[in-house]
Amino acid sequence: MTTTSPLRLSFDAAKCDGLGMCSLVFPEGISLDPWGFAHLDLDAIPGALEPKARRAVACCPRQALSLSKGAPSQHASSTIATPSHSSWRDQK
């Protein structure tokens, strides 16, 4: 039996302009922070969602998203840095 590496989505925060197009095409895997920048919600892309993930990568005007097989790149960030004193995810 052959196992294939899972498809993974990577995000380069330095390239992102916060337009949010990626989350419109792939809401199951990408959410936006309060400033409109992407946050990856899935570690590995399930096969059924692969077409949407590919579409999100293709529609990013800044090419901030990429797909790869295997472990996520150590150089790619899954989200932008938020101020260390306060996380927007912890606020109610």
Side-chain angles (χ1 to χ4, degrees):
M1 182 167 119
T2 305
T3 58
T4 59
S5 297
L7 195 60
R8 300 196 184 275
L9 190 61
S10 297
F11 170 64
D12 185 342
K15 291 182 179 179
C16 182
D17 274 345
L19 299 174
M21 295 169 61
C22 56
S23 71
L24 293 175
V25 228
F26 188 33
E28 301 88 346
I30 302 171
S31 58
L32 301 178
D33 70 12
W35 301 275
F37 293 95
H39 174 75
L40 304 183
D41 298 327
L42 298 174
D43 182 43
I45 308 298
L49 294 178
E50 185 176 326
K52 284 188 168 187
R54 290 188 184 283
R55 194 166 158 216
V57 170
C59 82
C60 180
R62 298 284 303 181
Q63 299 176 345
L65 296 170
S66 61
L67 283 172
S68 62
K69 294 219 180 225
S73 168
Q74 293 178 332
H75 300 290
S77 171
S78 63
T79 186
I80 63 164
T82 55
S84 60
H85 65 278
S86 174
S87 173
W88 65 271
R89 289 191 182 276
D90 296 332
Q91 297 176 359
K92 304 263 180 210

